[in-house]
Amino acid sequence: MTVPPSDLERIAAIEDPYQLIRVTTERLSAAQQEVTELARLRRRVIQELHAQGVSYAQIAEQAGLSRGRIHQIKHAGPAPEGAFLGMGAVTVVTPLRLDPERNRPMLALDDMRSGKRLEDLARSFGLTVASDNVSVDGQVDLNRPGLLVICGPRMSEAMRTAYDTDPVITWERDDLGWLLRDTRTGVAYRSGSQVDPPQPTDSAYLGRLPRPDGNGTFLAIAGIHPNGSLGVVDLLASEIATIWGQVGDKRFSTVVGVEYNPATGEPVRTQLASPLYRHEDD
């Protein structure tokens, strides 16, 4: 969608050169995001029509484009599954922890690694990416669009309250530590550090939860330990199209099982440990 002439005229009439630079930069950024999302939407519709049995020739005829152009659109531009993470712009949120030696906030290496990889994944789909943090005392504003939050209930009361809205997967705590429970099946998912002998495995939450203000949703990721969070990002990097095909942009939750290299903490095997539960079905 082009900028209305009135907007162009208004921007061109700005006399302060520095303000003009700021406004044009902001408007160009917004326009670029819009172009990316329109291209993603167009590619998705073409793929969906073809999956329904409509030929490319029929799509081209009805859309007023050549068959070659339809083929080009289908294989070029931002992938539709990128919408699983958001549209236009997203913000990756990771928790700050208290450095006991210096008594100041710090971002742990494991959290930094998960956040950076999620940022890279979002950028690979043409999304504009920003970063933010949950404060040391657990404060975070969840009433913002495009949030991808890597944080468990232990680090933030706001996140603990958000997780409590999940109708299927719950966080619990017992003498062994935190665990995830599938309330449909009663199965408990734990970290390998809680068994004897310890194992290099973890369990993690992946879901889309409602914002506290009710005006949208946000993506939540949290391992019982940081290895689990990293495993979820690893799973998304390889299986996001499959997950997107099952849940789209709707509310859902699932448990991810992660096996990692004990020397490096890097995931070596990740898989869905529970079903993908669509919350609208509840």
PDB file of all heavy atoms in Angstrom, residues 21-47:
ATOM      1  N   ILE A  21      14.766  13.754   8.581  1.00  0.00           N
ATOM      2  CA  ILE A  21      15.513  12.493   8.498  1.00  0.00           C
ATOM      3  C   ILE A  21      14.857  11.440   9.379  1.00  0.00           C
ATOM      4  O   ILE A  21      14.681  10.287   8.972  1.00  0.00           O
ATOM      5  CB  ILE A  21      16.980  12.710   8.907  1.00  0.00           C
ATOM      6  CG1 ILE A  21      17.702  13.570   7.869  1.00  0.00           C
ATOM      7  CG2 ILE A  21      17.693  11.353   9.061  1.00  0.00           C
ATOM      8  CD1 ILE A  21      19.099  13.987   8.290  1.00  0.00           C
ATOM      9  N   ARG A  22      14.504  11.828  10.612  1.00  0.00           N
ATOM     10  CA  ARG A  22      13.876  10.874  11.534  1.00  0.00           C
ATOM     11  C   ARG A  22      12.552  10.352  10.990  1.00  0.00           C
ATOM     12  O   ARG A  22      12.294   9.140  10.995  1.00  0.00           O
ATOM     13  CB  ARG A  22      13.664  11.534  12.905  1.00  0.00           C
ATOM     14  CG  ARG A  22      14.932  11.750  13.719  1.00  0.00           C
ATOM     15  CD  ARG A  22      14.594  12.065  15.158  1.00  0.00           C
ATOM     16  NE  ARG A  22      13.816  13.287  15.281  1.00  0.00           N
ATOM     17  CZ  ARG A  22      14.347  14.510  15.410  1.00  0.00           C
ATOM     18  NH1 ARG A  22      15.669  14.647  15.445  1.00  0.00           N
ATOM     19  NH2 ARG A  22      13.574  15.575  15.526  1.00  0.00           N
ATOM     20  N   VAL A  23      11.702  11.264  10.516  1.00  0.00           N
ATOM     21  CA  VAL A  23      10.372  10.875  10.051  1.00  0.00           C
ATOM     22  C   VAL A  23      10.456  10.003   8.810  1.00  0.00           C
ATOM     23  O   VAL A  23       9.755   8.989   8.702  1.00  0.00           O
ATOM     24  CB  VAL A  23       9.500  12.123   9.780  1.00  0.00           C
ATOM     25  CG1 VAL A  23       8.188  11.727   9.104  1.00  0.00           C
ATOM     26  CG2 VAL A  23       9.221  12.868  11.079  1.00  0.00           C
ATOM     27  N   THR A  24      11.316  10.380   7.862  1.00  0.00           N
ATOM     28  CA  THR A  24      11.424   9.567   6.643  1.00  0.00           C
ATOM     29  C   THR A  24      12.005   8.186   6.952  1.00  0.00           C
ATOM     30  O   THR A  24      11.585   7.188   6.362  1.00  0.00           O
ATOM     31  CB  THR A  24      12.301  10.272   5.596  1.00  0.00           C
ATOM     32  OG1 THR A  24      13.571  10.626   6.185  1.00  0.00           O
ATOM     33  CG2 THR A  24      11.621  11.515   5.059  1.00  0.00           C
ATOM     34  N   THR A  25      12.953   8.129   7.882  1.00  0.00           N
ATOM     35  CA  THR A  25      13.529   6.832   8.262  1.00  0.00           C
ATOM     36  C   THR A  25      12.473   5.935   8.890  1.00  0.00           C
ATOM     37  O   THR A  25      12.376   4.753   8.570  1.00  0.00           O
ATOM     38  CB  THR A  25      14.705   7.031   9.240  1.00  0.00           C
ATOM     39  OG1 THR A  25      15.714   7.818   8.612  1.00  0.00           O
ATOM     40  CG2 THR A  25      15.300   5.688   9.645  1.00  0.00           C
ATOM     41  N   GLU A  26      11.684   6.520   9.804  1.00  0.00           N
ATOM     42  CA  GLU A  26      10.618   5.749  10.451  1.00  0.00           C
ATOM     43  C   GLU A  26       9.588   5.270   9.433  1.00  0.00           C
ATOM     44  O   GLU A  26       9.130   4.133   9.489  1.00  0.00           O
ATOM     45  CB  GLU A  26       9.937   6.602  11.526  1.00  0.00           C
ATOM     46  CG  GLU A  26      10.824   6.893  12.735  1.00  0.00           C
ATOM     47  CD  GLU A  26      10.223   7.930  13.661  1.00  0.00           C
ATOM     48  OE1 GLU A  26       9.127   8.452  13.328  1.00  0.00           O
ATOM     49  OE2 GLU A  26      10.835   8.224  14.708  1.00  0.00           O
ATOM     50  N   ARG A  27       9.226   6.154   8.492  1.00  0.00           N
ATOM     51  CA  ARG A  27       8.205   5.796   7.503  1.00  0.00           C
ATOM     52  C   ARG A  27       8.727   4.732   6.547  1.00  0.00           C
ATOM     53  O   ARG A  27       7.988   3.823   6.147  1.00  0.00           O
ATOM     54  CB  ARG A  27       7.776   7.043   6.718  1.00  0.00           C
ATOM     55  CG  ARG A  27       6.531   6.808   5.873  1.00  0.00           C
ATOM     56  CD  ARG A  27       5.342   6.484   6.762  1.00  0.00           C
ATOM     57  NE  ARG A  27       4.163   6.136   5.981  1.00  0.00           N
ATOM     58  CZ  ARG A  27       3.892   4.925   5.524  1.00  0.00           C
ATOM     59  NH1 ARG A  27       4.718   3.924   5.776  1.00  0.00           N
ATOM     60  NH2 ARG A  27       2.794   4.700   4.833  1.00  0.00           N
ATOM     61  N   LEU A  28       9.996   4.818   6.161  1.00  0.00           N
ATOM     62  CA  LEU A  28      10.594   3.805   5.289  1.00  0.00           C
ATOM     63  C   LEU A  28      10.636   2.447   5.985  1.00  0.00           C
ATOM     64  O   LEU A  28      10.363   1.413   5.373  1.00  0.00           O
ATOM     65  CB  LEU A  28      12.008   4.229   4.869  1.00  0.00           C
ATOM     66  CG  LEU A  28      12.100   5.255   3.743  1.00  0.00           C
ATOM     67  CD1 LEU A  28      13.531   5.785   3.634  1.00  0.00           C
ATOM     68  CD2 LEU A  28      11.664   4.638   2.419  1.00  0.00           C
ATOM     69  N   SER A  29      10.983   2.453   7.277  1.00  0.00           N
ATOM     70  CA  SER A  29      11.030   1.207   8.026  1.00  0.00           C
ATOM     71  C   SER A  29       9.655   0.561   8.085  1.00  0.00           C
ATOM     72  O   SER A  29       9.505  -0.649   7.876  1.00  0.00           O
ATOM     73  CB  SER A  29      11.549   1.464   9.440  1.00  0.00           C
ATOM     74  OG  SER A  29      11.538   0.276  10.210  1.00  0.00           O
ATOM     75  N   ALA A  30       8.633   1.372   8.361  1.00  0.00           N
ATOM     76  CA  ALA A  30       7.272   0.839   8.421  1.00  0.00           C
ATOM     77  C   ALA A  30       6.834   0.312   7.064  1.00  0.00           C
ATOM     78  O   ALA A  30       6.184  -0.738   6.962  1.00  0.00           O
ATOM     79  CB  ALA A  30       6.315   1.926   8.905  1.00  0.00           C
ATOM     80  N   ALA A  31       7.197   1.028   6.004  1.00  0.00           N
ATOM     81  CA  ALA A  31       6.814   0.597   4.659  1.00  0.00           C
ATOM     82  C   ALA A  31       7.504  -0.709   4.279  1.00  0.00           C
ATOM     83  O   ALA A  31       6.896  -1.591   3.658  1.00  0.00           O
ATOM     84  CB  ALA A  31       7.163   1.689   3.646  1.00  0.00           C
ATOM     85  N   GLN A  32       8.764  -0.854   4.671  1.00  0.00           N
ATOM     86  CA  GLN A  32       9.499  -2.079   4.361  1.00  0.00           C
ATOM     87  C   GLN A  32       8.889  -3.270   5.091  1.00  0.00           C
ATOM     88  O   GLN A  32       8.774  -4.372   4.545  1.00  0.00           O
ATOM     89  CB  GLN A  32      10.970  -1.902   4.727  1.00  0.00           C
ATOM     90  CG  GLN A  32      11.720  -0.972   3.785  1.00  0.00           C
ATOM     91  CD  GLN A  32      13.070  -0.526   4.326  1.00  0.00           C
ATOM     92  OE1 GLN A  32      13.439  -0.860   5.455  1.00  0.00           O
ATOM     93  NE2 GLN A  32      13.801   0.239   3.543  1.00  0.00           N
ATOM     94  N   GLN A  33       8.480  -3.076   6.361  1.00  0.00           N
ATOM     95  CA  GLN A  33       7.827  -4.141   7.106  1.00  0.00           C
ATOM     96  C   GLN A  33       6.508  -4.534   6.446  1.00  0.00           C
ATOM     97  O   GLN A  33       6.166  -5.713   6.348  1.00  0.00           O
ATOM     98  CB  GLN A  33       7.563  -3.696   8.544  1.00  0.00           C
ATOM     99  CG  GLN A  33       8.812  -3.553   9.390  1.00  0.00           C
ATOM    100  CD  GLN A  33       8.495  -3.082  10.802  1.00  0.00           C
ATOM    101  OE1 GLN A  33       7.349  -3.055  11.213  1.00  0.00           O
ATOM    102  NE2 GLN A  33       9.523  -2.696  11.529  1.00  0.00           N
ATOM    103  N   GLU A  34       5.776  -3.543   5.965  1.00  0.00           N
ATOM    104  CA  GLU A  34       4.492  -3.812   5.323  1.00  0.00           C
ATOM    105  C   GLU A  34       4.695  -4.595   4.031  1.00  0.00           C
ATOM    106  O   GLU A  34       3.948  -5.546   3.752  1.00  0.00           O
ATOM    107  CB  GLU A  34       3.782  -2.486   5.035  1.00  0.00           C
ATOM    108  CG  GLU A  34       2.374  -2.656   4.493  1.00  0.00           C
ATOM    109  CD  GLU A  34       1.640  -1.332   4.394  1.00  0.00           C
ATOM    110  OE1 GLU A  34       1.688  -0.551   5.360  1.00  0.00           O
ATOM    111  OE2 GLU A  34       1.014  -1.086   3.342  1.00  0.00           O
ATOM    112  N   VAL A  35       5.698  -4.213   3.245  1.00  0.00           N
ATOM    113  CA  VAL A  35       5.990  -4.932   2.009  1.00  0.00           C
ATOM    114  C   VAL A  35       6.338  -6.392   2.298  1.00  0.00           C
ATOM    115  O   VAL A  35       5.874  -7.317   1.628  1.00  0.00           O
ATOM    116  CB  VAL A  35       7.147  -4.247   1.242  1.00  0.00           C
ATOM    117  CG1 VAL A  35       7.675  -5.146   0.128  1.00  0.00           C
ATOM    118  CG2 VAL A  35       6.673  -2.924   0.654  1.00  0.00           C
ATOM    119  N   THR A  36       7.158  -6.616   3.332  1.00  0.00           N
ATOM    120  CA  THR A  36       7.543  -7.982   3.701  1.00  0.00           C
ATOM    121  C   THR A  36       6.324  -8.815   4.078  1.00  0.00           C
ATOM    122  O   THR A  36       6.172  -9.957   3.624  1.00  0.00           O
ATOM    123  CB  THR A  36       8.530  -7.959   4.879  1.00  0.00           C
ATOM    124  OG1 THR A  36       9.729  -7.285   4.480  1.00  0.00           O
ATOM    125  CG2 THR A  36       8.882  -9.367   5.332  1.00  0.00           C
ATOM    126  N   GLU A  37       5.437  -8.255   4.906  1.00  0.00           N
ATOM    127  CA  GLU A  37       4.268  -9.014   5.357  1.00  0.00           C
ATOM    128  C   GLU A  37       3.266  -9.235   4.236  1.00  0.00           C
ATOM    129  O   GLU A  37       2.613 -10.290   4.171  1.00  0.00           O
ATOM    130  CB  GLU A  37       3.611  -8.325   6.547  1.00  0.00           C
ATOM    131  CG  GLU A  37       4.459  -8.339   7.807  1.00  0.00           C
ATOM    132  CD  GLU A  37       4.939  -9.737   8.164  1.00  0.00           C
ATOM    133  OE1 GLU A  37       4.166 -10.700   8.017  1.00  0.00           O
ATOM    134  OE2 GLU A  37       6.096  -9.865   8.594  1.00  0.00           O
ATOM    135  N   LEU A  38       3.116  -8.278   3.329  1.00  0.00           N
ATOM    136  CA  LEU A  38       2.233  -8.479   2.179  1.00  0.00           C
ATOM    137  C   LEU A  38       2.768  -9.584   1.276  1.00  0.00           C
ATOM    138  O   LEU A  38       1.995 -10.417   0.768  1.00  0.00           O
ATOM    139  CB  LEU A  38       2.083  -7.170   1.395  1.00  0.00           C
ATOM    140  CG  LEU A  38       1.235  -6.079   2.057  1.00  0.00           C
ATOM    141  CD1 LEU A  38       1.328  -4.781   1.266  1.00  0.00           C
ATOM    142  CD2 LEU A  38      -0.220  -6.521   2.173  1.00  0.00           C
ATOM    143  N   ALA A  39       4.092  -9.616   1.081  1.00  0.00           N
ATOM    144  CA  ALA A  39       4.697 -10.671   0.272  1.00  0.00           C
ATOM    145  C   ALA A  39       4.523 -12.033   0.930  1.00  0.00           C
ATOM    146  O   ALA A  39       4.255 -13.042   0.262  1.00  0.00           O
ATOM    147  CB  ALA A  39       6.182 -10.375   0.047  1.00  0.00           C
ATOM    148  N   ARG A  40       4.652 -12.073   2.261  1.00  0.00           N
ATOM    149  CA  ARG A  40       4.464 -13.328   2.983  1.00  0.00           C
ATOM    150  C   ARG A  40       3.018 -13.821   2.852  1.00  0.00           C
ATOM    151  O   ARG A  40       2.755 -14.996   2.619  1.00  0.00           O
ATOM    152  CB  ARG A  40       4.816 -13.134   4.460  1.00  0.00           C
ATOM    153  CG  ARG A  40       4.912 -14.451   5.231  1.00  0.00           C
ATOM    154  CD  ARG A  40       4.979 -14.232   6.739  1.00  0.00           C
ATOM    155  NE  ARG A  40       5.865 -13.170   7.148  1.00  0.00           N
ATOM    156  CZ  ARG A  40       7.192 -13.295   7.255  1.00  0.00           C
ATOM    157  NH1 ARG A  40       7.769 -14.445   6.977  1.00  0.00           N
ATOM    158  NH2 ARG A  40       7.935 -12.274   7.646  1.00  0.00           N
ATOM    159  N   LEU A  41       2.082 -12.887   2.991  1.00  0.00           N
ATOM    160  CA  LEU A  41       0.671 -13.240   2.888  1.00  0.00           C
ATOM    161  C   LEU A  41       0.328 -13.741   1.498  1.00  0.00           C
ATOM    162  O   LEU A  41      -0.392 -14.736   1.331  1.00  0.00           O
ATOM    163  CB  LEU A  41      -0.182 -12.013   3.237  1.00  0.00           C
ATOM    164  CG  LEU A  41      -1.698 -12.176   3.149  1.00  0.00           C
ATOM    165  CD1 LEU A  41      -2.174 -13.277   4.082  1.00  0.00           C
ATOM    166  CD2 LEU A  41      -2.389 -10.856   3.463  1.00  0.00           C
ATOM    167  N   ARG A  42       0.837 -13.079   0.469  1.00  0.00           N
ATOM    168  CA  ARG A  42       0.573 -13.495  -0.905  1.00  0.00           C
ATOM    169  C   ARG A  42       1.118 -14.893  -1.171  1.00  0.00           C
ATOM    170  O   ARG A  42       0.440 -15.739  -1.768  1.00  0.00           O
ATOM    171  CB  ARG A  42       1.202 -12.485  -1.878  1.00  0.00           C
ATOM    172  CG  ARG A  42       0.978 -12.804  -3.341  1.00  0.00           C
ATOM    173  CD  ARG A  42       1.539 -11.717  -4.230  1.00  0.00           C
ATOM    174  NE  ARG A  42       2.978 -11.558  -4.062  1.00  0.00           N
ATOM    175  CZ  ARG A  42       3.725 -10.737  -4.797  1.00  0.00           C
ATOM    176  NH1 ARG A  42       3.166  -9.973  -5.725  1.00  0.00           N
ATOM    177  NH2 ARG A  42       5.030 -10.650  -4.595  1.00  0.00           N
ATOM    178  N   ARG A  43       2.331 -15.150  -0.714  1.00  0.00           N
ATOM    179  CA  ARG A  43       2.934 -16.481  -0.915  1.00  0.00           C
ATOM    180  C   ARG A  43       2.135 -17.555  -0.177  1.00  0.00           C
ATOM    181  O   ARG A  43       1.912 -18.640  -0.703  1.00  0.00           O
ATOM    182  CB  ARG A  43       4.383 -16.463  -0.425  1.00  0.00           C
ATOM    183  CG  ARG A  43       5.110 -17.785  -0.623  1.00  0.00           C
ATOM    184  CD  ARG A  43       6.561 -17.675  -0.183  1.00  0.00           C
ATOM    185  NE  ARG A  43       7.211 -18.967  -0.232  1.00  0.00           N
ATOM    186  CZ  ARG A  43       8.469 -19.187   0.163  1.00  0.00           C
ATOM    187  NH1 ARG A  43       9.204 -18.181   0.611  1.00  0.00           N
ATOM    188  NH2 ARG A  43       8.988 -20.401   0.101  1.00  0.00           N
ATOM    189  N   ARG A  44       1.671 -17.223   1.031  1.00  0.00           N
ATOM    190  CA  ARG A  44       0.909 -18.199   1.813  1.00  0.00           C
ATOM    191  C   ARG A  44      -0.398 -18.554   1.116  1.00  0.00           C
ATOM    192  O   ARG A  44      -0.788 -19.717   1.040  1.00  0.00           O
ATOM    193  CB  ARG A  44       0.613 -17.641   3.203  1.00  0.00           C
ATOM    194  CG  ARG A  44       0.002 -18.661   4.150  1.00  0.00           C
ATOM    195  CD  ARG A  44      -0.421 -18.030   5.455  1.00  0.00           C
ATOM    196  NE  ARG A  44      -1.711 -17.368   5.333  1.00  0.00           N
ATOM    197  CZ  ARG A  44      -2.242 -16.568   6.269  1.00  0.00           C
ATOM    198  NH1 ARG A  44      -1.556 -16.307   7.362  1.00  0.00           N
ATOM    199  NH2 ARG A  44      -3.413 -16.023   6.109  1.00  0.00           N
ATOM    200  N   VAL A  45      -1.105 -17.548   0.587  1.00  0.00           N
ATOM    201  CA  VAL A  45      -2.390 -17.801  -0.076  1.00  0.00           C
ATOM    202  C   VAL A  45      -2.194 -18.674  -1.308  1.00  0.00           C
ATOM    203  O   VAL A  45      -2.981 -19.600  -1.559  1.00  0.00           O
ATOM    204  CB  VAL A  45      -3.075 -16.471  -0.445  1.00  0.00           C
ATOM    205  CG1 VAL A  45      -4.307 -16.729  -1.302  1.00  0.00           C
ATOM    206  CG2 VAL A  45      -3.464 -15.710   0.812  1.00  0.00           C
ATOM    207  N   ILE A  46      -1.147 -18.412  -2.072  1.00  0.00           N
ATOM    208  CA  ILE A  46      -0.873 -19.226  -3.252  1.00  0.00           C
ATOM    209  C   ILE A  46      -0.607 -20.673  -2.852  1.00  0.00           C
ATOM    210  O   ILE A  46      -1.135 -21.622  -3.458  1.00  0.00           O
ATOM    211  CB  ILE A  46       0.317 -18.649  -4.047  1.00  0.00           C
ATOM    212  CG1 ILE A  46      -0.088 -17.331  -4.715  1.00  0.00           C
ATOM    213  CG2 ILE A  46       0.820 -19.646  -5.095  1.00  0.00           C
ATOM    214  CD1 ILE A  46       1.057 -16.600  -5.375  1.00  0.00           C
ATOM    215  N   GLN A  47       0.199 -20.862  -1.815  1.00  0.00           N
ATOM    216  CA  GLN A  47       0.490 -22.225  -1.354  1.00  0.00           C
ATOM    217  C   GLN A  47      -0.768 -22.920  -0.845  1.00  0.00           C
ATOM    218  O   GLN A  47      -0.984 -24.108  -1.111  1.00  0.00           O
ATOM    219  CB  GLN A  47       1.560 -22.187  -0.265  1.00  0.00           C
ATOM    220  CG  GLN A  47       2.939 -21.779  -0.771  1.00  0.00           C
ATOM    221  CD  GLN A  47       3.996 -21.797   0.309  1.00  0.00           C
ATOM    222  OE1 GLN A  47       3.701 -22.012   1.491  1.00  0.00           O
ATOM    223  NE2 GLN A  47       5.238 -21.566  -0.060  1.00  0.00           N
TER     224      GLN A  47
END
